Amino acid sequence: MRIAMIGAGYVGLVSGACLADFGHEVACVDKDAARIASLQAGRSPIYEPGLGELVAANLRAGRLAFTTDIREGMRGAQAVFICVGTPTLPGDGGADMRFVFQAAREIGEAIDGFVVVVNKSTSPIGACDAIERILAERAPRERFAVASNPEFLREGAAIDDFKRPDRVVVGVEEDAARRVMREIYQPLERNGSPIIYTTRRTAELVKYAANVFLAMKVTFINEIADLCEKVGGDVMDVAHSIGLDQRIGRRFLSPGPGFGGSCFPKDTLALTKLAIDARSPMRLVETLVDVNEKRKVMMAGKIVRACGGSVAGKRIAVLGLTYKPNTDDMRDAPSLVIVPLLQHAGATIVAFDPEGAKQAAALLPGVEFASGPYACLEGADAMVVVTEWDAFRALDLARVKAALREPVVVDLRNIYPQGAMRAMGFRYEGIGRGA
């Protein structure tokens, strides 16, 4: 099958490369000429484990192509996926659909035969209806069908998520669209992956419901961590114990400095706005947004307290800046709140991130970037772990202590054993670890 992906960002590039690896012929279309040139040369502009190799392999095999010309990309395509951004609108928190609707207009003008237009961008309920109306203004109705196919890719594990998904959700209203979507995902169906066919509006809602529920789990365990600190409990034991309950599950019960990234923050805001507009307010979700934003501020305060109540004139070493490990994504990363607050309190910040330094440098002025973790720690008054990269778990702790001017460690991801750290002489503060 020939497929076009409109948008060669995170979702479009991962999805396109994986579909090409299944044997489909895929053309990724993007307006960013520099990005397309890099991809045509076999270089991925996005850090995602295994993605660069996957792109290069399928480019060499002739199954994957890149272009800035939407007509060229759509030529002969039986399906066209919309994979563009839907950022949060300033003010009301809704999803900005400009890029989706512009893509739909350009697709409508380029249709030259029957095609299924698949919206993979995270969009409010009814987005496919709007896309359908836009297409109908530009192409005969019998030449297209519209489907919803939300993505559930975790940054850092996206290729595995695409190839071995928990489920694939497809919203379709017409048999022709269902047949095309089934052919696209036949390799997954053969491997036993659940393919769920439902209505377009239901599929759109599934995406929001899934992400917001996971964000609620993260926020819940963060609040339990705060309670543990007050009453002397250990959140790690609490999380492990409740996670063994199959009704709850272990995942997303790791306490930390608050969630960030490209999905959770904007999807919680978008679902809140959608619910208010539908006159079915979701009080839990409204509270969730507020609690998560305040938590990042609380973490800066925690660091200040660990440093004796003031960071003025102190050098703070920050390990990890991206919102999670195994990505270079800085969108809504907790570090974007924590670092400026420490700077405002008078601290000098030196930071190291294995992949995110380039992106972070543009967002965190005044930060000194180190070449490695030990260089980052040299002469610092405190070490703060913000992102739990595996490389930080295996640090030589004796060397860490020797590098620091003061043996203060604030571990916002609980990657080190509290007892062992204190036994080594560190003034160690984790999250929700009690006394």
Side-chain angles (χ1 to χ4, degrees), residues 173-180:
E173 309 290 341
E174 296 147 302
D175 289 341
R178 182 179 178 129
R179 286 193 297 271
V180 169

Side-chain angles (χ1 to χ4, degrees), residues 44 60-61 63 82 109 114 118 142 148 178 190 193 196 203 213 226-227 239 250 261 271 275 309 347 349-350 372 432:
S44 173
R60 287 194 302 270
R63 293 187 297 266
I82 298 176
E109 291 164 2
F114 181 77
V118 187
E142 65 273 10
S148 174
R178 182 179 178 129
R190 285 174 178 165
S193 298
I196 299 167
F213 182 79
D226 293 343
L227 181 60
R250 299 182 184 184
L271 187 60
I349 305 296
V350 55

Side-chain angles (χ1 to χ4, degrees), residues 331-352:
R331 284 175 288 184
D332 278 303
S335 63
L336 296 178
V337 175
I338 295 169
V339 167
L341 286 173
L342 294 176
Q343 290 174 314
H344 183 71
T348 296
I349 305 296
V350 55
F352 171 72

Side-chain angles (χ1 to χ4, degrees), residues 99-160:
F99 305 115
V100 171
F101 294 156
Q102 179 60 30
R105 284 190 284 271
E106 294 180 18
I107 290 167
E109 291 164 2
I111 289 175
D112 59 1
F114 181 77
V115 67
V116 177
V117 178
V118 187
N119 186 28
K120 211 165 184 60
S121 298
T122 302
S123 305
I125 317 309
C128 283
D129 298 345
I131 291 169
E132 191 171 67
R133 289 192 294 271
I134 291 169
L135 294 172
E137 293 170 357
R138 292 161 174 79
R141 186 62 188 81
E142 65 273 10
R143 287 197 172 184
F144 66 87
V146 178
S148 174
N149 178 212
E151 57 87 15
F152 301 100
L153 305 177
R154 294 169 299 157
E155 293 191 39
I159 292 171
D160 192 60

Side-chain angles (χ1 to χ4, degrees), residues 10 47-49 155-157 322 324-328 355 387 389-390:
Y10 189 85
Y47 176 74
E48 173 67 30
E155 293 191 39
T322 54
K324 64 181 287 188
N326 296 321
T327 180
D328 58 0
E355 294 294 340
T387 311
W389 286 88
D390 283 344

